Amino acid sequence: MDVNLEIRHLKLLAAVADEESVTAAGKRLHLTQSALSHQLRDAEEMLGTPLFLRLGKRMALTAAGKKLLEAARRILKDLKEAESQVLGLNGDTHGVIRLSTECYTCYHWLPPLLASFHTTFPKVEVAIDMAATHRPAEELLAGNLDVAIMYCAPEHKNLERSPLCEDELMVVMSPRHPLASRRRIEPQDLEGETILIYPPRDESTLLKKVLEPAGVTPGRIMEIPLTEAIVEMAAAGAGVAFMACWAVSPHLASKKLVGRSLGNPGYRRSWYAVTLRNQRKPPYMTEFLNLLTVNGSKYMEQWLVSKAKA
């Protein structure tokens, strides 16, 4: 689609609207009054309508001018943000890292990691996309994410996986639950039990990787999107959940919940920082991945300590 106006026209429009004066706008843009007036006439002729009313020395926007000014401010803002991102891609210290995780609870221990990262790269924005939590691999491959923290990271030729750490998923329940007296839980022990899971159920680790292969049928399945709500439901005896030990550690320490290993030696999973393979990484991305892979478990432990003291 052909566009007649140029960026200089949009900057001119915004400057004259702000200053309400051709002379003042010219000083702001480092243009003579004659040059600015000439460019303004060019824009108005291209559009076939005046953009300002000349009220003596004061310039007032017309209805068409107000409409164009809204678009001009939006376009100039988007252009500035795009330039900042491109500078980052060129190896500068500006940029954006688009991040998501495969588990909502992971967002709890990210703040101290981000604080450490921003001491080195204060002008790099880390944009967290919580909407991509249930499909981080797909969003990576679509070019909508830069980093995904995952435990079900697929083996794909276009994805690169960097190991972070391991954790254990435990069966957690009220101390008053009959299963709380067991030293460990076997899949068969969950036959007929009410199971508290994160939605969607067709992606539940407990259902798909533990109970179904063992031929175990729960009594009821309750899908609950919030970790805090699952904790409260389990503590109240409304069901049992399968959660990361580090995520519920403070509740185990306070005896609000009881946690038991599933089988022997327990159900463990590996976490990865996943990125697109063969993509050039600017220095800030390399530093961010280094913090994740080298110090990710440290920040997780710090979060646990802070929760335990709270």
Side-chain angles (χ1 to χ4, degrees):
M1 183 176 67
D2 291 335
V3 177
N4 294 320
L5 294 182
E6 301 175 13
I7 294 298
R8 61 189 176 93
H9 294 124
L10 302 183
K11 290 181 176 179
L12 179 153
L13 176 70
V16 175
D18 289 342
E19 303 292 345
E20 297 186 342
S21 163
V22 170
T23 302
K27 291 179 179 178
R28 174 170 154 181
L29 297 175
H30 306 290
L31 293 172
T32 65
Q33 180 177 339
S34 174
L36 190 149
S37 297
H38 179 72
Q39 290 185 25
L40 180 57
R41 283 196 302 272
D42 281 348
E44 291 177 326
E45 288 175 3
M46 290 178 196
L47 296 170
T49 186
L51 300 175
F52 290 92
L53 295 174
R54 278 75 171 173
L55 305 176
K57 293 184 178 181
R58 179 173 171 268
M59 303 289 283
L61 285 163
T62 64
K66 290 180 180 178
K67 186 68 175 177
L68 185 60
L69 180 63
E70 292 177 6
R73 293 199 190 284
R74 184 171 62 250
I75 291 168
L76 292 172
K77 178 177 179 292
D78 289 346
L79 182 60
K80 184 178 180 180
E81 291 178 355
E83 286 181 345
S84 176
Q85 293 181 27
V86 171
L87 280 172
L89 293 175
N90 286 334
D92 208 322
T93 56
H94 299 68
V96 178
I97 297 174
R98 299 164 300 170
L99 169 73
S100 192
T101 83
E102 200 173 12
C103 175
Y104 285 117
T105 312
C106 287
Y107 294 113
H108 297 325
W109 55 264
L110 278 174
L113 184 147
L114 298 181
S116 177
F117 172 72
H118 281 137
T119 59
T120 306
F121 292 97
K123 296 182 179 179
V124 176
E125 177 189 354
V126 179
I128 296 176
D129 187 349
M130 296 187 71
T133 297
H134 293 302
R135 55 181 190 282
E138 291 85 347
E139 293 296 317
L140 271 171
L141 292 169
N144 298 326
L145 289 178
D146 299 305
V147 185
I149 300 174
M150 303 179 64
Y151 58 85
C152 288
E155 293 188 7
H156 191 285
K157 64 179 182 180
N158 293 327
L159 294 179
E160 182 174 352
R161 305 187 304 176
S162 301
L164 295 182
C165 59
E166 281 193 348
D167 66 353
E168 181 182 1
L169 292 174
M170 304 184 75
V171 180
V172 298
M173 68 208 83
S174 165
R176 299 177 298 279
H177 194 285
L179 292 178
S181 61
R182 305 283 184 91
R183 293 186 60 186
R184 66 173 56 90
I185 304 297
E186 299 297 335
Q188 291 74 19
D189 296 330
L190 301 178
E191 180 75 36
E193 292 288 339
T194 296
I195 304 297
L196 311 174
I197 64 169
Y198 294 105
R201 68 178 61 196
D202 59 0
E203 295 180 8
S204 167
T205 298
L206 179 60
L207 295 179
K208 297 300 177 180
K209 296 188 177 182
V210 177
L211 300 187
E212 288 185 8
V216 173
T217 303
R220 179 183 301 170
I221 299 171
M222 298 180 65
E223 297 181 53
I224 305 173
L226 298 176
T227 298
E228 292 79 5
I230 293 179
V231 167
E232 294 303 322
M233 293 285 284
V240 301
F242 196 46
M243 304 180 74
C245 178
W246 58 266
V248 294
S249 179
H251 305 296
L252 300 179
S254 68
K255 303 189 185 306
K256 182 175 184 175
L257 294 174
V258 167
R260 297 290 181 259
S261 294
L262 182 68
N264 186 15
Y267 190 98
R268 303 190 66 81
R269 62 184 177 179
S270 297
W271 285 87
Y272 300 90
V274 187
T275 56
L276 287 175
R277 192 182 300 276
N278 299 326
Q279 293 289 314
R280 180 182 175 276
K281 294 180 176 62
Y284 63 77
M285 179 65 77
T286 301
E287 173 64 14
F288 186 75
L289 291 174
N290 182 63
L291 278 174
L292 275 175
T293 54
V294 175
N295 297 315
S297 59
K298 180 187 76 173
Y299 290 109
M300 187 185 296
E301 291 170 3
Q302 289 176 347
W303 178 75
L304 285 175
V305 171
S306 67
K307 291 293 287 183
K309 293 180 178 178

